[in-house]
Amino acid sequence: MKAVAVLLLVMCHLAVSHAWKCRAAPQLPTIVQIDAGQGKVVARDASYSVYMLCGTTWFKLGSPRLKHVTVGPGGIWGADTSNRVYKYVNGQFRVASGLYMQQVDAGGDGQIVGTTYNYYGYCLRSYLAAAFTGTGSLSWTYSSIYLRYYSCGPLYGCWAVDTSFRIWFTKKMVPTSCGISSWKRISGAAKMVEVGTDGTVFVVTRGGHVFQRTGITSGRPQGTRWTKIKMCLPIHHLSYDQSRLWVVSKGGIVMQCTQ
């Protein structure tokens, strides 16, 4: 698998030159989803098994069958195939009663956000997320309707994609209350959006194209425009942390890209 990935990447570099340089990362067979935060990288495969990357090796985390896993300031969280929410506590995933979520994100300032199985957006306050150790029910705060993908960063706010693949932005979320400003529609369309811990924003379109939001500053947190990142392979999923863009192609090849 790694030999195939290296060959394809060599062919890519021969065919196109761009600001982002990609190389083969440690490969995980049948990888579907990846998430990076605070120097950690987690992923799940087509069998819904969850892994963490340690050096150059993927190590399996626990036994729950998760369809989405996330890592960030709020810890490691996931949603399983029955939409139950889990937190990784003391070496194992602990199920959290409360809302049923189909996607969760731990990239904010301690708070956890996500979307329910019927696409309502919710937020878990930072102190509740930190205090959960495996017992009790979690109380989520309603934040929006009809979101298929929801992601936050600790600096400039949250981004989301709705059920019509439209892109939305809201200013910095208050982690202790989950308070936000109103949602603002951003031009473009995507199937997923990811926010890095430094406020960098990327989207993947339904066609597998990758775009970065440029012009993001403290005075203009929504940025100014989308810049396409050329990829030789159609991309299925991505995440960004510590100046590294982790991408998973539609064929299941893992790449690490830097500028």
Side-chain angles (χ1 to χ4, degrees), residues 28-93:
L28 178 64
T30 71
I31 186 172
V32 174
Q33 183 246 326
I34 195 165
D35 196 70
Q38 293 194 308
K40 300 181 178 67
V41 182
V42 294
R44 73 96 168 167
D45 65 14
S47 299
Y48 303 102
S49 295
V50 177
Y51 298 83
M52 175 179 283
L53 183 61
C54 297
T56 59
T57 304
W58 291 98
F59 289 93
K60 189 173 181 180
L61 292 182
S63 58
R65 300 177 71 243
L66 302 185
K67 62 181 177 181
H68 195 276
V69 62
T70 180
V71 60
I76 299 175
W77 293 72
D80 73 5
T81 54
S82 298
N83 299 312
R84 292 176 298 182
V85 177
Y86 288 78
K87 182 184 179 182
Y88 195 67
V89 180
N90 295 328
Q92 58 183 308
F93 280 102

Side-chain angles (χ1 to χ4, degrees), residues 91-240:
Q92 58 183 308
F93 280 102
R94 301 283 190 177
V95 67
S97 60
L99 286 180
Y100 285 74
M101 313 291 284
Q102 57 92 16
Q103 180 257 332
V104 287
D105 183 86
D109 193 12
Q111 80 274 18
I112 310 298
V113 298
T115 62
T116 61
Y117 65 94
N118 53 353
Y119 301 109
Y120 285 86
Y122 279 86
C123 170
L124 181 65
R125 286 165 284 179
S126 57
Y127 63 90
L128 295 177
F132 181 75
T133 57
T135 59
S137 179
L138 295 177
S139 178
W140 294 77
T141 300
Y142 173 79
S143 62
S144 184
I145 61 172
Y146 306 135
L147 300 183
R148 61 178 293 113
Y149 209 98
Y150 198 171
S151 183
C152 292
L155 293 179
Y156 300 138
C158 302
W159 291 71
V161 174
D162 68 15
T163 53
S164 297
F165 303 98
R166 296 174 298 186
I167 303 168
W168 298 85
F169 166 79
T170 185
K171 291 181 181 179
K172 183 174 175 62
M173 177 179 284
V174 180
T176 54
S177 67
C178 288
I180 59 173
S181 59
S182 59
W183 288 94
K184 175 182 176 62
R185 171 81 183 278
I186 303 296
S187 64
K191 70 173 186 178
M192 66 160 292
V193 58
E194 280 287 324
V195 185
T197 51
D198 63 354
T200 308
V201 177
F202 298 89
V203 297
V204 177
T205 69
R206 284 179 285 178
H209 300 292
V210 176
F211 289 84
Q212 179 182 358
R213 189 67 176 177
T214 55
I216 293 176
T217 64
S218 58
R220 194 176 180 85
Q222 73 273 24
T224 55
R225 62 189 294 268
W226 294 107
T227 299
K228 187 175 183 178
I229 298 176
K230 295 179 181 179
M231 295 280 175
C232 289
L233 301 172
I235 302 305
H236 175 69
H237 205 274
L238 60 74
S239 190
Y240 181 82

Side-chain angles (χ1 to χ4, degrees), residues 8-18 22 208 229-235 249 255:
L8 287 172
L9 288 174
V10 168
M11 294 172 64
C12 282
H13 285 304
L14 290 175
V16 63
S17 175
H18 52 84
C22 299
I229 298 176
K230 295 179 181 179
M231 295 280 175
C232 289
L233 301 172
I235 302 305
S249 76
M255 295 177 286

